């Protein structure tokens, strides 16, 4: 019978076959196994590019928004330029107090407080200090009848009934020139534009408007009436002109609001048998026309008019970008005064009586600071005395620096007062 035995076979090993050929099998396996891995890697790369693109778009959007915000912030803080903003800040920056300060000149005419800076007009000089008393500059104006008008960026000093004009910032004198005719009035806006009312040849008077570089951009002539006051809007795009005429022994005043593309007024109002004492244009929304016993709060944009009437005389008007404060009192009576408060929407929000003389007053946030003889009082909008402090003899102006203190300016020096 046949034997069913397992045949023994020897495995044949080729001598020509080396290890590299044997690795080929493993290589194919790796390629087969690595094929999904390559797909995964390619997917990851595509996903990564998408995320990088999204991140780049977000970063670009953030940078553009930051630049726009910075430009807006610079325009809000300094419409006359970022370099002037920094130079003004550096000129009055100080950590330490240098008060009291001795002033140049023998008589203080006017004081204004803008930001951290105090501007003082005297009979001989125009000076700037920080509220800590750091000296910035002092210029001898050389005018016989100097008048200063203020804005948030620059100050204008002119010689009333003379011809000289000087423009200052917090660091130095920027422009100085003489007008062709005698000056009747002037005003300067927040963006550095300014207007000068003067006499004119072949006309009774005229208004010349300059940009912040002291270049003439507009002229308006008045053939019959005398221009008494002029105001420039905060954005420098409009002017308000107040004129005076005499008819049959009566004073008649007119108000014209003009833009710079036409000689025809876009708004006007007549005041028969009324004499206008001035225009307050510090607020960005409204300007205030001041009469003997009335005030008109007029919107620059819509020309809406809110009239304040009193049986007393209007002694003073102070404004900021939030409030307008009107002081009225009986004529030749320094024993009491009435204060009326309006917001920027021309709405009356308060009124109170103050017992005592009022030598100067100022708005500080929601409160009012009043100089009365040798005392300074901090008063809330309801008329309550919150704090008080003593000041020296001869103080003519006060500048609020905080709810607990102020600067007292006399003809000779600047000192600090603490209110308790």
């Amino acid at each position: 019978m046949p034997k069913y035995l397992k045949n023994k076979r020897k495995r044949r090993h080729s001598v020509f076959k080396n290890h590299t050929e044997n690795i080929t099998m493993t290589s194919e396996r790796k390629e087969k196994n690595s094929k999904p891995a390559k797909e995964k890697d390619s997917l990851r790369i595509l996903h990564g590019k998408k995320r990088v693109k999204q991140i780049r778009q977000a970063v670009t959007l953030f940078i553009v928004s930051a630049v726009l915000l910075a430009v807006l912030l610079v325009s809000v803080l300094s419409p006359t330029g970022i370099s002037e903003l920094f130079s003004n800040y550096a000129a009055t920056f100080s950590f330490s107090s240098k008060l009291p300060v001795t002033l140049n000149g023998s008589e203080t005419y006017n004081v204004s407080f803008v930001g951290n800076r105090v501007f003082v007009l005297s009979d001989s000089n125009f000076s700037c200090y920080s509220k800590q008393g750091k000296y910035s500059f002092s210029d001898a104006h050389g005018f016989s009848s100097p008048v200063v008008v203020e804005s948030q960026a620059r100050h204008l000093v002119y010689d009333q009934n003379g011809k000289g004009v000087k423009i200052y910032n917090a660091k130095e004198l920027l422009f100085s020139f003489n007008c062709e005719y005698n000056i009747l009035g002037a005003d300067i806006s927040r963006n550095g534009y300014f207007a000068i009312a003067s006499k004119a040849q072949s006309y009774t008077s005229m208004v010349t408007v300059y940009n912040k570089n002291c270049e003439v951009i507009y002229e308006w002539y008045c053939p019959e009436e005398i221009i008494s006051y002029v105001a420039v809007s905060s954005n420098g795009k409009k002017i308000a002109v107040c004129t005076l005429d005499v008819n049959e022994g009566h004073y008649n005043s007119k108000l014209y609001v003009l833009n710079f593309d036409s000689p025809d007024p876009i708004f006007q109002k007549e005041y028969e048998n009324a004499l206008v004492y001035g225009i307050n244009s510090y607020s960005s929304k409204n300007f205030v026309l001041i009469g003997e016993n009335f005030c008109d709060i007029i919107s620059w944009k819509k020309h809406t008019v809110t009239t304040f009437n009193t049986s007393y005389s209007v002694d003073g008007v102070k404004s900021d970008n939030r409030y307008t404060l009107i002081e009225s009192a009986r004529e030749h009576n320094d024993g009491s005064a009435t204060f009326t408060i309006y917001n920027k929407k021309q709405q009356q929000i308060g009124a109170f009586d103050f017992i005592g003389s009022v030598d100067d007053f100022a708005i500080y946030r929601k409160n009012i600071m009043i100089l009365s003889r040798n005392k300074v009082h901090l008063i809330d909008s309801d008329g309550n005395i919150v704090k008080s402090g003593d000041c020296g003899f001869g103080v003519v102006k006060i500048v609020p620096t905080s709810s607990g203190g102020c600067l007292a300016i006399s003809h000779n020096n600047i000192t600090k007062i603490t209110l308790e």
Side-chain angles (χ1 to χ4, degrees), residues 120-228:
V120 181
L121 175 67
S122 69
D123 56 344
S124 61
N125 289 75
F126 184 71
S127 308
C128 178
Y129 305 87
S130 72
K131 70 177 183 180
Q132 290 83 13
K134 180 185 176 182
Y135 170 81
S136 177
F137 76 88
S138 183
D139 179 62
H141 51 69
F143 299 154
S144 58
S145 300
V147 179
V148 61
V149 286
E150 64 180 283
S151 72
Q152 292 91 332
R154 296 175 178 177
H155 282 63
L156 184 150
V157 179
Y158 66 94
D159 193 7
Q160 193 168 37
N161 294 319
K163 297 181 179 180
V165 178
K166 292 189 174 185
I167 309 293
Y168 300 88
N169 61 12
K171 183 182 179 181
E172 59 189 353
L173 171 66
L174 298 176
F175 303 103
S176 178
F177 64 95
N178 289 327
C179 295
E180 186 176 359
Y181 305 101
N182 290 351
I183 301 172
L184 303 173
D187 191 33
I188 189 167
S189 71
R190 178 180 169 275
N191 69 345
Y193 284 46
F194 61 96
I196 297 175
S198 66
K199 296 180 180 179
Q201 187 177 9
S202 304
Y203 294 90
T204 57
S205 54
M206 63 178 291
V207 174
T208 307
V209 182
Y210 302 79
N211 63 14
K212 67 178 182 179
N213 298 320
C214 205
E215 300 168 340
V216 177
I217 60 173
Y218 179 74
E219 289 181 337
W220 186 77
Y221 295 90
C222 191
E224 298 178 355
E225 307 145 34
I226 295 292
I227 298 174
S228 53

Side-chain angles (χ1 to χ4, degrees), residues 92-102 129-136 414-416:
T92 55
F93 177 78
S94 176
F95 284 112
S96 60
S97 175
K98 295 176 175 58
L99 297 169
V101 172
T102 301
Y129 305 87
S130 72
K131 70 177 183 180
Q132 290 83 13
K134 180 185 176 182
Y135 170 81
S136 177
I414 301 175
T415 59
K416 188 175 182 178

